[in-house]
Amino acid sequence: LAEIKQLGLLSVMQKLKGSTELELRIVLLGLDNAGKTTLLKCLASEDVNTITPTQVSKYTQNQPLIFHLVYVIDSADKKRFEETGLELSELIDEENLAGVPILIFANKQDLCTASPASEIAEGLNLHTYRDRVWQIQACSAVTGEGVQDGMNWICNNLLKKK
Ligand SMILES: Nc1nc2c(ncn2[C@@H]2O[C@H](COP(=O)(O)OP(=O)(O)OP(=O)(O)O)[C@@H](O)[C@H]2O)c(=O)[nH]1
Ligand SMILES: [Mg+2]
C-alpha cells in the first residue's frame, strides 16, 4: 500500500428517496495523477451542502467506518495499468478491507487515448473478485460525466443493505 497515494476520507450525508438519511464513508484511493483531487472537486461542486471532504494525511489500517472503497484509474495512462493493477490487488488482499464494496472509476474518459472501462476491467481481472461487490464506472472528473452514476451505485448498495 505504500505507493498508493491516500487522498481523502469523504463523509457524505445523502438524502435518498426523499426520506432516508444515511451516512456514507468512502475511502478514495488511486495512483498519483489518477484524478482523485479532481474527482473530489467534481463531487463537491455538485452538492456542496451534502459532501464534506476531509483530507487525511495518512492511511490508517484500522479505520472503523469504511463502508466503501473508491479506486481511481487514469484510463489514458496505459504505461501504468500494470502498476495500478498491482496496487489494487494489494488493496483487495488487505485483511482489514475484506468484503468492502469497491467502485472503480475508469477516469479521464474525455481523452481520446482513454481505454474503455470494459478493457480495463478485463486487464484488472475484476471478474475474479468474489468476496465483495464491485463496479467499474467510466467517468471524467473534468466533465463530470459518469461521476454521479458511480455515486448512485454506492447509494443503491446502501439501500440494499438496509
Ligand atoms: N482530461 C482529463 N484530465 C483529468 C481528469 N481527471 C484529472 N485530470 C488531470 O489529471 C491531473 C492529475 O489530477 P489530480 O486530480 O491532481 O490527480 P490526483 O490523483 O489527485 O494526483 P495526486 O494528488 O498526485 O495523487 C491533473 O492535471 C488533472 O487536471 C479527467 O477526467 N480528464
Ligand atoms: Mg491529489
Side-chain angles (χ1 to χ4, degrees), residues 4-7 29-41 72-74 76 106-111 139-145 147:
I4 294 184
K5 275 256 186 168
Q6 211 281 330
L7 347 175
L29 296 165
L31 296 181
D32 56 283
N33 207 50
K36 301 173 297 286
T37 302
T38 312
L39 192 66
L40 275 178
K41 283 184 190 153
V72 188
I73 291 174
D74 180 345
N107 191 33
K108 306 199 187 181
Q109 290 293 325
D110 58 293
L111 299 175
C139 81
S140 167
V142 165
T143 69
E145 197 164 356
V147 172

Side-chain angles (χ1 to χ4, degrees), residues 89-109:
S89 61
E90 276 181 40
L91 200 60
I92 292 298
D93 289 341
E94 270 293 318
E95 249 175 76
N96 295 312
L97 301 176
V100 176
I102 185 162
L103 169 68
I104 294 137
F105 271 125
N107 191 33
K108 306 199 187 181
Q109 290 293 325

Side-chain angles (χ1 to χ4, degrees), residues 21-120:
E21 203 166 78
L22 295 170
E23 187 179 28
L24 171 60
R25 284 267 163 103
I26 298 171
V27 170
L28 184 60
L29 296 165
L31 296 181
D32 56 283
N33 207 50
K36 301 173 297 286
T37 302
T38 312
L39 192 66
L40 275 178
K41 283 184 190 153
C42 179
L43 286 169
S45 71
E46 263 174 30
D47 200 343
V48 173
N49 295 319
T50 56
I51 297 174
T52 316
T54 317
Q55 291 289 334
V56 292
S57 56
K58 206 168 145 233
Y59 178 70
T60 54
Q61 300 211 333
N62 296 315
Q63 286 289 356
L65 282 171
I66 295 175
F67 297 135
H68 276 78
L69 287 167
V70 175
Y71 192 80
V72 188
I73 291 174
D74 180 345
S75 308
D77 196 355
K78 294 190 177 67
K79 286 198 291 287
R80 296 187 78 187
F81 279 178
E82 195 182 334
E83 183 186 359
T84 200
L86 281 172
E87 296 290 359
L88 178 61
S89 61
E90 276 181 40
L91 200 60
I92 292 298
D93 289 341
E94 270 293 318
E95 249 175 76
N96 295 312
L97 301 176
V100 176
I102 185 162
L103 169 68
I104 294 137
F105 271 125
N107 191 33
K108 306 199 187 181
Q109 290 293 325
D110 58 293
L111 299 175
C112 60
T113 51
S115 296
S118 57
E119 241 170 61
I120 292 172

